[in-house]
Amino acid sequence: LSSRTKAIISKLTILLFFGFIATFFTVVLFGSVFPIVTGKPIPTAFFLFMPLVLWGSNFMLYEIYLILAFQFGRNVGISIGAIGSMMSALLQTGLGTGLWYVTPFGVGVHFAENTLTKVLGLSIIASAEIKIGILYCAISTCAILGILIFWFSRYNGRCID
């Protein structure tokens, strides 16, 4: 390769692009079926903000899974994804209070919940946890991106399958 950095950034960019497309279609599908089922309309802001929040809060997970998939193979990536899905459901409950922002699996769910309450005009509970979560997510995403680029520059192309 002429530049390993360009290669991994292009792979991450493609992954993020298709992740956004999938998130956008999921939100549009949910937002178009929800009023039919409940009879309650959804504001347009839901279709604008929710895909961006869900997608943006998962940058860190895309980077982690990219490292796992390259280093250990797709089976490990899929297994960690299944465990992460269960953890995100648990972190949404009271078990995640005070803990969700230090695990990458709980961040997207809580950011989406906070965005949804704001979009629907419900009473927002100003939480220090949300501010800590945003700061943690931003710092962790940048740090893991640096680790990803550093790791890939020394990656020799072997994985355990």
Side-chain angles (χ1 to χ4, degrees), residues 6 11 20 26 45 54 68 77 86 93 96 98 110 114 142-145:
K6 287 181 185 176
K11 288 182 185 305
F20 178 75
T26 302
L54 286 171
L68 288 174
M86 289 185 278
T93 65
H110 282 275
N114 193 27
C142 293
I144 293 172
L145 181 61

Side-chain angles (χ1 to χ4, degrees), residues 1-17:
L1 296 174
S2 61
S3 171
R4 287 181 169 244
T5 303
K6 287 181 185 176
I8 195 64
I9 294 298
S10 69
K11 288 182 185 305
L12 182 62
T13 303
I14 290 169
L15 187 63
L16 290 171
F17 173 74

Side-chain angles (χ1 to χ4, degrees), residues 69-126:
F70 270 108
Q71 185 64 37
F72 301 110
R74 67 177 175 254
N75 292 335
V76 171
I78 291 169
S79 300
I80 299 296
I83 291 168
S85 296
M86 289 185 278
M87 280 185 63
S88 69
L90 285 173
L91 291 171
Q92 182 63 22
T93 65
L95 295 172
T97 303
L99 180 67
W100 64 267
Y101 50 84
V102 294
T103 60
F105 306 111
V107 172
V109 175
H110 282 275
F111 288 170
E113 179 184 21
N114 193 27
T115 303
L116 188 60
T117 56
K118 185 170 181 126
V119 165
L120 295 177
L122 304 173
S123 61
I124 299 173
I125 300 171

Side-chain angles (χ1 to χ4, degrees), residues 7-56:
I8 195 64
I9 294 298
S10 69
K11 288 182 185 305
L12 182 62
T13 303
I14 290 169
L15 187 63
L16 290 171
F17 173 74
F18 285 113
F20 178 75
I21 298 297
T23 304
F24 179 76
F25 282 132
T26 302
V27 169
V28 168
L29 183 63
F30 174 80
S32 58
V33 172
F34 185 79
I36 296 169
V37 173
T38 62
K40 298 179 183 178
I42 293 182
T44 307
F46 173 84
F47 296 102
L48 298 174
F49 294 118
M50 195 58 72
L52 293 174
V53 168
L54 286 171
W55 177 64

